[in-house]
Amino acid sequence: CHRPLSERELAILLAIDQYRYLDRDHVTDLFFSGRRNAELTLKELLWRGLIHRWPLLRWQDTTVPSVYALTSSGARQIAKLRDQDPRPIVDRARRAREQTYHLRHDVEANRFFTKLAGAARHLPDQGLYRWLGETTCRVAFERDSSPPSDGWGLYLLPDREITFDLEWDGGTEHARRIRTKANGYATYFRGRRNADLHHVLFVAPTRIREGELHDL
């Protein structure tokens, strides 16, 4: 139990802090080539008391693997690694565990990015270079009034890079809210330099919903 945490274990804790919720498949896509090693590492972090687990979740017709968030001990480990005051990180971890109103939405939005990263893992000339979670995007919104998206990504190709905001649509948002989001992006980028190079990606759960989003 006194073995120092490995670099990969620390990276997993940092990722959970950054993205609030990660499940077993997220961790596999980001850090491992197989599910078994991911399960063993998560079991070790759970045994050390550094992460909190919600067992297998069922949302309507979807079954989700165990979802993990940081414990207070895990948050203090992050603070020690960054040489920061632990109180804000501990508070952020506590809110993630207690305020789970958007847990499903956040898990599904995170899955988009982890699947994108995993799919490009073996491609020699492209891949997801950077990904900011919803929490970081929310801070940017409070700082400079940029649209509060569900995530921001930078994808590299051999001859260019693609930056995009993600709007993950579960099919339940009211049309008025979708219009407000679209108008918010249009207003924010109007007149900004190279605005045409920035993308907003709406991901819909069905073809019917995709058509509705196009109409909106």
Side-chain angles (χ1 to χ4, degrees):
C1 66
H2 299 294
R3 175 184 64 81
L5 293 172
S6 68
E7 290 187 1
R8 180 151 49 183
E9 289 169 334
L10 289 170
I12 292 171
L13 294 180
L14 286 167
I16 295 175
D17 175 57
Q18 167 70 21
Y19 307 121
R20 192 160 28 185
Y21 307 114
L22 294 181
D23 67 23
R24 178 203 61 203
D25 291 346
H26 294 149
V27 174
T28 301
D29 286 332
L30 290 175
F31 299 106
F32 296 93
S33 58
R35 181 180 295 173
R36 179 60 177 163
N37 287 334
E39 290 175 340
L40 290 173
T41 301
L42 288 168
K43 184 177 180 181
E44 169 74 9
L45 294 174
L46 188 65
W47 180 79
R48 287 176 176 240
L50 300 175
I51 56 176
H52 170 83
R53 182 184 70 172
W54 287 278
L56 198 68
L57 299 175
R58 289 181 176 85
W59 291 320
Q60 297 176 348
D61 57 346
T62 302
T63 300
V64 179
S66 296
V67 175
Y68 299 88
L70 281 184
T71 63
S72 296
S73 295
R76 284 190 287 270
Q77 186 73 45
I78 294 296
K80 180 180 178 182
L81 180 66
R82 293 173 171 167
D83 193 25
Q84 294 178 344
D85 180 358
R87 288 171 294 183
I89 305 175
V90 169
D91 184 61
R92 184 164 64 239
R94 178 189 57 77
R95 283 186 277 109
R97 296 192 307 273
E98 296 177 356
Q99 301 173 11
T100 58
Y101 321 111
H102 304 294
L103 190 149
R104 177 178 182 176
H105 179 273
D106 291 351
V107 167
E108 291 177 343
N110 287 345
R111 179 164 289 112
F112 171 86
F113 285 102
T114 61
K115 288 298 181 186
L116 182 60
R121 174 179 293 169
H122 301 296
L123 300 178
D125 56 355
Q126 62 178 279
L128 182 65
Y129 180 74
R130 195 176 184 194
W131 155 37
L132 301 179
E134 187 270 344
T135 301
T136 305
C137 294
R138 181 68 58 178
V139 171
F141 164 71
E142 294 172 353
R143 184 185 64 240
D144 57 19
S145 298
S146 59
S149 66
D150 297 319
W152 178 91
L154 171 60
Y155 193 89
L156 297 184
L157 292 165
D159 59 341
R160 62 192 182 279
E161 60 185 38
I162 301 172
T163 60
F164 64 94
D165 278 291
L166 173 70
E167 286 294 338
W168 181 266
D169 178 69
T172 59
E173 281 197 290
H174 193 276
R176 183 171 60 249
R177 181 169 171 79
I178 298 294
R179 288 195 192 96
T180 299
K181 283 186 176 182
N183 287 332
Y185 281 107
T187 300
Y188 179 77
F189 283 105
R190 184 176 294 119
R192 290 181 180 269
R193 184 178 181 183
N194 296 326
D196 57 326
L197 300 181
H198 191 94
H199 308 275
V200 182
L201 178 62
F202 283 81
V203 180
T206 65
R207 292 284 187 181
I208 294 175
R209 181 62 172 177
E210 182 181 352
E212 293 174 353
L213 292 180
H214 276 294
D215 292 341
L216 290 171

